[in-house]
């Protein structure tokens, strides 16, 4: 991959997840860094409005710092080990963290939303889909979601472990084009440059390359929990849904704007699978389908030849029992699978909606929901 291709990865990215660590947000634990948060907020706002290239982008901020800010407000100089003390610090610090982002983004004319997640939210199908729908709605409204782990209610068994992992999972959740991890290092080195003067900078590598894990050191700060190894593993995880990752110094001037303009900054860990290919391959590889819907000739033709979504009005029957978010088969009248995809409705609801137009959904279900049974973005044709 040449330099132009490397730079183009971020330049072409429409949906970005930006993760910033505790040591940057809190200026190594001295309290929320108002200037730094103001700078990131200015850049986020510029990206939403169109940036230097005039192309509006959707951005999500995953921000550490609640526990570190809580420690500062409580007068603690050492990160506590007891889970209830960490939860108390998070509860205190989250107030200041959310207020700071709200103030700085509002100063730049952009709205913000606080979203607190736990591992359980993303492990449960219904909560996963609800979180995804909420985030995509916020992005569509031009709002910047500010996400943090809900440290106040989690325990060690259900923690993400670090916000690098959370950033990658959010990138998977919203199918982001890229994950940008802002840290206190310029990027990835072959060894820890704070200990090894011979360490060489890594400009670009393949996400998931085992050699990267071998060269990464441990956590480097007493304030946060992550280290370079968590960033490499996060990049590997993000690549699973087709998102490339950049690891860069968070205090680099206009780092987000320059990255999206195509400038090569930090370390780029390139996903080897395109975003749409990753999602569709995942659906195609499902060996156990929970159920199926049968469609008429008109619906089958629209799926096969026009790339349309599947609407309930084109469905003639529902087979099996499945939940919202399951991968189901779509079959024609002869029983041949023509496609498969993620269903927006459970089987019981789908049976009510067969042959019905979308204006009748609210009366049938008691609520207004998606007009599609399977959206075209979540559908893969058989044999493709």
């Amino acid at each position: 991959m040449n330099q132009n291709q490397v730079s183009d990865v971020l330049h072409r990215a429409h949906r970005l997840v930006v993760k910033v660590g505790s040591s940057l947000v809190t200026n190594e634990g001295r309290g929320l860094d108002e200037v730094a948060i103001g700078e990131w907020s200015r850049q986020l706002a510029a990206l939403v409005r169109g940036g230097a290239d005039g192309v509006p982008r959707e951005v999500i901020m995953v921000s550490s710092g609640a526990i570190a800010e809580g420690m500062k407000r409580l007068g603690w100089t050492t990160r506590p080990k007891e889970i209830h003390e960490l939860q108390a610090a998070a509860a205190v610090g989250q107030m200041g963290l959310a207020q700071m982002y709200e103030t700085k983004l509002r100063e730049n004319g952009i709205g913000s939303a606080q979203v607190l997640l736990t591992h359980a939210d993303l492990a449960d199908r219904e909560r996963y889909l609800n979180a995804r729908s909420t985030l995509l709605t916020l992005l569509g409204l031009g709002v910047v979601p500010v996400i943090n782990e809900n440290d106040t209610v989690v325990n060690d068994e259900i923690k993400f472990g670090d916000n690098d992992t959370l950033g990658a999972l959010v990138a998977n959740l919203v199918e982001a084009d890229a994950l940008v991890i802002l840290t206190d290092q310029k990027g990835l080195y072959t060894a820890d440059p704070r200990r090894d003067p011979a360490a060489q900078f890594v400009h670009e590598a393949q996400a998931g390359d085992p050699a990267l894990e071998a060269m990464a050191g441990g956590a480097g700060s007493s304030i946060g929990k992550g280290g370079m190894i968590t960033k490499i593993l996060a990049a590997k995880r993000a690549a699973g849904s087709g998102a490339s990752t950049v690891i860069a110094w968070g205090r680099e001037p206009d780092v987000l704007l320059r990255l999206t303009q195509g400038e090569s900054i930090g370390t780029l860990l390139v996903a080897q699978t395109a975003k749409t290919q990753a999602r569709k391959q995942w659906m195609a590889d499902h060996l156990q389908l929970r159920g199926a819907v049968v469609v008429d000739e008109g619906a089958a033709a629209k799926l096969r030849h026009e790339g349309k979504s599947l609407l309930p009005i084109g469905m003639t029957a529902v087979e099996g029992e499945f939940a919202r978010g399951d991968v189901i088969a779509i079959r024609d009248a002869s029983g041949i699978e023509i496609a498969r995809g993620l269903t927006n409705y459970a089987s019981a609801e789908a049976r009510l909606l067969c042959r019905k137009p979308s204006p009748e959904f609210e009366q049938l279900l008691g609520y207004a929901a998606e007009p599609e049974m399977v959206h075209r973005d979540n559908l893969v044709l058989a044999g493709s």
Side-chain angles (χ1 to χ4, degrees), residues 120-133 169 172-174:
D121 294 324
L122 302 187
D124 178 84
R125 181 192 299 108
E126 284 293 326
R127 288 157 72 179
Y128 179 97
L129 291 170
N130 290 339
R132 172 181 165 83
S133 295
L169 289 172
N172 295 154
L173 177 67
V174 300

Side-chain angles (χ1 to χ4, degrees), residues 189-361:
Y189 291 81
T190 54
D192 189 340
R194 292 169 290 197
R195 299 184 178 91
D196 186 351
Q200 296 182 341
F201 189 77
V202 178
H203 291 278
E204 181 235 329
Q206 292 185 5
D209 185 345
L212 297 176
E213 297 175 34
M215 69 176 63
S221 168
S222 63
I223 299 300
K225 190 175 181 180
M228 197 56 71
I229 184 63
T230 69
K231 293 163 180 55
I232 290 171
L233 294 175
K236 180 180 179 179
R237 187 183 295 270
S241 62
S244 295
T245 298
V246 171
I247 302 172
W249 186 39
R251 300 192 187 279
E252 182 77 33
D254 284 335
V255 58
L256 299 176
L257 300 179
R258 290 161 59 196
L259 280 170
T260 54
Q261 289 168 23
E263 189 172 341
S264 182
I265 303 173
T267 298
L268 175 66
L269 301 179
V270 185
Q272 298 305 295
T273 305
K275 184 173 70 169
T276 54
Q277 290 175 330
R279 180 179 67 254
K280 294 193 173 185
Q281 189 62 50
W282 173 77
M283 288 188 285
D285 287 344
H286 258 64
L287 298 179
Q288 294 183 333
L289 301 180
R290 298 296 183 92
V293 294
V294 181
V295 300
D296 61 26
E297 290 184 8
K302 288 184 179 295
L303 294 177
R304 283 186 174 123
H305 308 303
E306 299 180 30
K308 299 292 187 179
S309 300
L310 173 61
L311 303 180
I313 197 170
M315 298 175 353
T316 60
V318 176
E319 301 173 353
E321 301 298 326
F322 50 84
R324 177 176 180 240
D326 280 341
V327 178
I328 62 170
I330 302 170
R331 300 193 177 110
D332 63 16
S334 62
I336 297 174
E337 181 180 327
I338 59 175
R340 59 178 56 182
L342 298 176
T343 173
N344 285 331
Y345 292 99
S347 52
E349 297 171 317
R351 290 186 174 95
L352 294 174
L353 299 180
C354 277
R355 314 302 285 171
K356 298 296 192 297
S358 57
E360 296 182 16
F361 291 3

Side-chain angles (χ1 to χ4, degrees), residues 13-202:
H14 169 69
R15 182 174 295 159
L16 298 167
V17 174
V18 180
K19 182 269 174 180
V20 61
S22 298
S23 61
L24 287 172
V25 174
T26 64
N27 200 9
E28 291 294 343
R30 289 188 284 271
L32 291 178
D33 191 329
E34 183 176 355
V35 173
I37 293 175
E39 272 299 294
W40 299 320
S41 296
R42 178 183 61 80
Q43 294 176 61
L44 294 173
L47 291 176
V48 171
R49 287 194 297 265
D53 57 7
V55 179
R57 290 177 170 85
E58 298 175 340
V59 291
I60 293 175
M61 173 65 92
V62 176
S63 179
S64 301
I67 290 178
E69 171 64 8
M71 287 168 52
K72 182 253 185 182
R73 292 186 174 205
L74 292 168
W76 298 348
T77 57
T78 304
R79 183 184 177 95
K81 295 181 180 180
E82 295 295 330
I83 188 71
H84 63 274
E85 292 181 333
L86 287 169
Q87 290 171 331
V92 172
Q94 193 64 48
M95 297 291 290
L97 187 66
Q99 182 181 27
M100 183 67 75
Y101 276 107
E102 162 66 17
T103 298
K104 295 304 177 183
L105 285 166
R106 184 63 62 186
E107 286 176 358
N108 287 278
I110 296 294
S112 63
Q114 182 187 46
V115 180
L116 299 177
L117 294 174
T118 67
H119 194 282
D121 294 324
L122 302 187
D124 178 84
R125 181 192 299 108
E126 284 293 326
R127 288 157 72 179
Y128 179 97
L129 291 170
N130 290 339
R132 172 181 165 83
S133 295
T134 298
L135 289 172
L136 294 182
T137 299
L138 290 169
L139 292 175
L141 294 170
V143 170
V144 175
V146 179
I147 299 178
N148 197 357
E149 182 167 12
N150 195 355
D151 290 303
T152 302
V153 299
V154 298
N155 55 39
D156 285 337
E157 284 70 36
I158 60 173
K159 282 182 67 63
F160 292 111
D162 59 84
N163 272 0
D164 295 322
T165 300
L166 177 56
L169 289 172
V170 170
N172 295 154
L173 177 67
V174 300
E175 295 180 357
D177 300 298
L179 169 65
V180 179
I181 299 178
L182 299 181
T183 182
D184 55 4
Q185 293 289 304
K186 297 287 186 179
L188 177 63
Y189 291 81
T190 54
D192 189 340
R194 292 169 290 197
R195 299 184 178 91
D196 186 351
Q200 296 182 341
F201 189 77
V202 178

